[in-house]
Amino acid sequence: MKCLSRWTWLFCLLPAGPLLAQPFTHADTLRGSNGPGRNWWDARKYTLQVTVDFTDSSIRGSNRIEVEQLKLGKLVQVDLQEPMKIDSIEVEINSIPRVKRSVIKRKLFMLYPGQFSEEGNARFFQVPDSVTLRSFTVYFHGKPRVAKMPPWDGGSIWKKDKAGNPWMSVACQGLGASVWYPCKDYQGDEPDAAELIITCPDTLSAIGNGRLQEKKLNGNGTTTWRWAVSYPINSYNLVPYVGKYAHFNETYAGLDGPLDMDYWVLEENLEKARSQFKDAPRMIKAFEYWFGPYPFYRDGFKLVESPHLGMEHQSAIAYGNGYRNGYRGTDLSGSGWGLKWDFIIIHESGHEWFANNISTKDIADMWVHEGFTNYSEVLFTEYYYGKEAATAYVTGLRKNIQNDIPVIGPYGVNKEGSGDMYYKGSNLVHTLRQVINNDSLFRDILRGLNRSFRYQTVTSRQVEEYISKRSKQDFSKIFDQYLRTTDIPVLEYKVSGQYILYRYRNCVKGFRMPLRIRCGSERWIRPTGQWQRIKRCGTTEDTLSVAPDFYINTKKVP
Ligand SMILES: [Zn+2]
């Protein structure tokens, strides 16, 4: 048994026993880390062809994975989850010439079950020495695991619309795209482009990510829809939607020119969508202001009605919020501001910047996706309803924070941290914004993140260091406190004669976040772990009033 990640190696060394239950398996490591079957090649393009069969909820097809070889390697890992089956793998190699100027030969060879090994959901095959791997095409079929509660519990979704027409899609974030198609199911390597070619009954429409290139009637009751994505894309974002769709569109004059905005909705909901989707151009306007240009102009922007609540599928956002404002008609913040806009349009589209443009290499760092996107809701609220509304919204979200486990999860085993990555993540961003205390610089940092890490996969550390560097302040202790512990800083204070004494408790060593307080007028204090004092604001004033924007607790002590 190989131990690949820094979290699992310890458990690999320990003897197995009832008291030493191994929290992660070797299969988790294979799935979540850049192991020896993955680290020597880079996925360049996926060409995913699928035929969707509603009669038995099955999918059949192939994925051609074009490869750039980074260094020498032999073992290739491809992921596909049970009960999906690989029928064969066609491998394309170049022989490396032994003598200079001799001809490079392209060769194809086929592998069938028995010729590739399996371990859990990972399949392995070998390429011979002295060749360059160019591509491999995996032919597959099966009935992908059906989602019980999408999008949280992922898988394929097979439903009927109100008129009885078949309707399907997939939601597979976290669980992984390998639940329905063979791929390199590792977030640190996105294909730089993709094609999604869907064959379905010709009474229905098949929508994919990117641009529609071709729609071909096959003459046998089916139609093939070919969609192309011209940017890097997370494998979980590449998803088909098949149903009885109606279509309308508009062109938005955006920062990078005209942006095609296309909407695909069930025929029965066309009129509702025409009104509800007015939030889409509003969203683009606000987010281009805060984050910079929409990242995928060539591919356009789409909202596609989905049989589940929603997901950030790149350039084809899944929309299933029932044409109501709020989150299924409710306001997660309790402030009332969340009912002014459609949660799914705003939140899932916010991910186009944080998740799709900037992706994390490891889902342990997923707060970068969810924390900033949760904060995009705050910024949307601020753009249209003002700063007070935004503060009410973000502070209102705090009641949803659990502080159960750290926001950042264990690395290398495909494991997310706490669900607090949403609300605590956005409150961390809001708190940092207070410390930066310069909104134009703060906005510049948000835009800079999207520019500097454009189409890249990153770590949380890279994002943290970027923010510290741009704001010329070392925020490392603040990030450690909120992302790597479950403790919320407490500002303790007490009244002593003419003074109020204050200090931090419950903090990581070296935590020194300045705070804005109200004391007659606004002023700043710089608490540490040691008692400090300020003069009482008035003879009757015996509380220390910290601006509510800071996510800390205050406690008066005797
Ligand atoms: Zn999200």
Side-chain angles (χ1 to χ4, degrees):
M1 178 161 127
K2 277 196 183 126
C3 303
L4 300 170
S5 81
R6 79 185 170 90
W7 275 84
T8 47
W9 73 268
L10 176 66
F11 296 98
C12 293
L13 295 176
L14 296 172
L19 293 173
L20 289 171
Q22 195 170 314
F24 299 111
T25 64
H26 187 231
D28 294 327
T29 302
L30 284 174
R31 173 65 204 289
S33 60
N34 197 19
R38 288 171 167 172
N39 60 17
W40 59 277
W41 58 276
D42 190 21
R44 298 306 302 267
K45 187 182 176 188
Y46 288 175
T47 303
L48 177 59
Q49 302 204 42
V50 288
T51 299
V52 172
D53 191 341
F54 283 96
T55 60
D56 63 355
S57 307
S58 71
I59 288 172
R60 167 177 299 278
S62 63
N63 188 17
R64 177 165 192 254
I65 300 175
E66 288 169 50
V67 166
E68 183 188 342
Q69 193 165 329
L70 306 171
K71 55 182 182 182
L72 284 177
K74 282 172 77 166
L75 185 72
V76 180
Q77 176 181 339
V78 59
D79 305 291
L80 185 65
Q81 299 179 28
E82 289 286 343
M84 299 303 284
K85 294 271 177 263
I86 292 183
D87 302 315
S88 60
I89 304 174
E90 184 181 59
V91 186
E92 182 192 12
I93 52 173
N94 273 347
S95 61
I96 296 173
R98 285 176 203 280
V99 187
K100 255 190 184 173
R101 273 183 277 154
S102 68
V103 184
I104 298 171
K105 282 189 186 145
R106 176 176 166 268
K107 284 185 183 166
L108 292 173
F109 65 91
M110 296 295 294
L111 297 168
Y112 296 95
Q115 293 176 296
F116 40 85
S117 61
E118 300 188 6
E119 187 179 340
N121 295 318
R123 319 293 159 90
F124 298 92
F125 65 89
Q126 303 249 3
V127 290
D129 284 328
S130 312
V131 302
T132 307
L133 178 64
R134 293 187 44 141
S135 76
F136 57 97
T137 306
V138 184
Y139 294 87
F140 69 102
H141 78 276
K143 296 180 187 178
R145 165 185 149 150
V146 173
K148 290 192 193 86
M149 211 174 63
W152 301 279
D153 154 276
S156 59
I157 306 152
W158 307 83
K159 284 204 171 162
K160 288 207 153 101
D161 66 16
K162 280 191 194 136
N165 301 298
W167 191 19
M168 77 79 62
S169 189
V170 178
C172 56
Q173 191 191 20
L175 176 67
S178 57
V179 73
W180 75 281
Y181 75 90
C183 59
K184 186 179 195 176
D185 208 349
Y186 168 60
Q187 211 161 273
D189 185 6
E190 301 181 355
D192 305 315
E195 280 189 43
L196 179 53
I197 302 156
I198 313 160
T199 299
C200 69
D202 56 14
T203 51
L204 304 175
S205 301
I207 320 305
N209 314 73
R211 295 263 179 195
L212 181 62
Q213 305 293 311
E214 192 186 11
K215 189 178 144 186
K216 202 174 87 196
L217 285 165
N218 298 318
N220 60 357
T222 65
T223 303
T224 299
W225 300 62
R226 185 163 68 86
W227 295 83
V229 178
S230 66
Y231 298 93
I233 183 167
N234 287 326
S235 53
Y236 75 85
N237 267 325
L238 195 64
V239 153
Y241 304 86
V242 181
K244 190 86 173 163
Y245 282 106
H247 171 239
F248 63 103
N249 65 327
E250 63 184 312
T251 307
Y252 177 82
L255 288 184
D256 274 3
L259 173 64
D260 290 324
M261 302 184 72
D262 286 85
Y263 308 111
W264 295 84
V265 298
L266 293 183
E267 279 179 353
E268 63 204 32
N269 293 325
L270 185 57
E271 286 319 304
K272 281 190 220 165
R274 281 185 193 280
S275 146
Q276 189 71 7
F277 286 4
K278 293 203 167 99
D279 264 359
R282 267 176 22 110
M283 171 279 296
I284 296 281
K285 191 172 183 198
F287 289 171
E288 287 204 325
Y289 172 81
W290 285 110
F291 304 146
Y294 171 71
F296 309 109
Y297 267 75
R298 282 197 306 275
D299 287 358
F301 172 86
K302 291 190 287 297
L303 287 175
V304 189
E305 186 167 354
S306 56
H308 58 93
L309 179 61
M311 187 54 74
E312 63 256 27
H313 301 146
Q314 186 170 307
S315 71
I317 302 291
Y319 177 85
N321 202 29
Y323 304 96
R324 287 175 295 180
N325 276 1
Y327 176 92
R328 293 172 149 163
T330 65
D331 174 14
L332 295 172
S333 76
S335 69
W337 294 106
L339 294 174
K340 297 281 186 192
W341 37 269
D342 188 308
F343 178 91
I344 292 297
I345 297 176
I346 305 311
H347 177 94
E348 302 306 341
S349 305
H351 278 305
E352 295 281 33
W353 285 263
F354 291 96
N356 301 350
N357 186 32
I358 305 172
S359 307
T360 58
K361 286 185 190 299
D362 193 309
I363 68 172
D365 284 337
M366 213 164 86
W367 85 275
V368 175
H369 297 192
E370 298 301 349
F372 282 93
T373 297
N374 195 263
Y375 200 65
S376 78
E377 300 162 27
V378 179
L379 294 171
F380 178 90
T381 304
E382 180 167 332
Y383 189 84
Y384 289 105
Y385 308 103
K387 228 168 166 167
E388 269 181 43
T391 299
Y393 185 80
V394 69
T395 55
L397 292 174
R398 280 182 203 158
K399 65 178 179 347
N400 304 316
I401 300 174
Q402 308 285 322
N403 285 312
D404 50 355
I405 54 169
V407 166
I408 291 184
Y411 290 106
V413 285
N414 197 49
K415 182 97 176 109
E416 296 166 9
S418 169
D420 286 345
M421 67 177 88
Y422 291 81
Y423 313 113
K424 191 174 173 182
S426 68
N427 270 283
L428 165 60
V429 176
H430 190 66
T431 301
L432 285 172
R433 177 182 177 183
Q434 309 311 310
V435 181
I436 292 170
N437 196 27
N438 176 342
D439 274 357
S440 77
L441 174 61
F442 174 69
R443 180 177 153 222
D444 229 42
I445 290 172
L446 296 173
R447 287 172 153 235
L449 282 167
N450 274 284
R451 207 172 38 243
S452 300
F453 298 127
R454 198 169 176 82
Y455 313 136
Q456 291 176 32
T457 60
V458 301
T459 62
S460 177
R461 290 271 184 210
Q462 281 175 278
V463 170
E464 294 164 40
E465 281 162 14
Y466 181 89
I467 296 171
S468 285
K469 194 171 146 217
R470 288 293 313 277
S471 38
K472 298 196 174 76
Q473 299 188 56
D474 179 5
F475 290 143
S476 58
K477 301 292 177 195
I478 301 178
F479 284 117
D480 283 348
Q481 179 76 44
Y482 289 96
L483 298 176
R484 299 180 177 90
T485 83
T486 55
D487 297 328
I488 297 309
V490 177
L491 184 76
E492 278 188 357
Y493 69 92
K494 57 187 175 189
V495 178
S496 170
Q498 296 229 313
Y499 295 96
I500 290 182
L501 278 61
Y502 59 86
R503 69 171 177 188
Y504 273 133
R505 304 291 275 174
N506 217 30
C507 296
V508 297
K509 202 161 175 259
F511 184 87
R512 297 161 165 264
M513 184 171 75
L515 296 171
R516 198 173 64 243
I517 61 165
R518 179 158 286 285
C519 183
S521 61
E522 263 183 15
R523 55 174 291 185
W524 286 82
I525 56 171
R526 298 182 180 279
T528 65
Q530 307 299 318
W531 287 108
Q532 296 178 67
R533 64 184 199 180
I534 45 162
K535 249 196 159 156
R536 284 168 69 182
C537 308
T539 45
T540 53
E541 187 67 72
D542 61 354
T543 56
L544 193 58
S545 167
V546 177
D549 302 87
F550 293 85
Y551 177 41
I552 61 153
N553 294 319
T554 53
K555 186 180 172 195
K556 191 175 181 183
V557 293

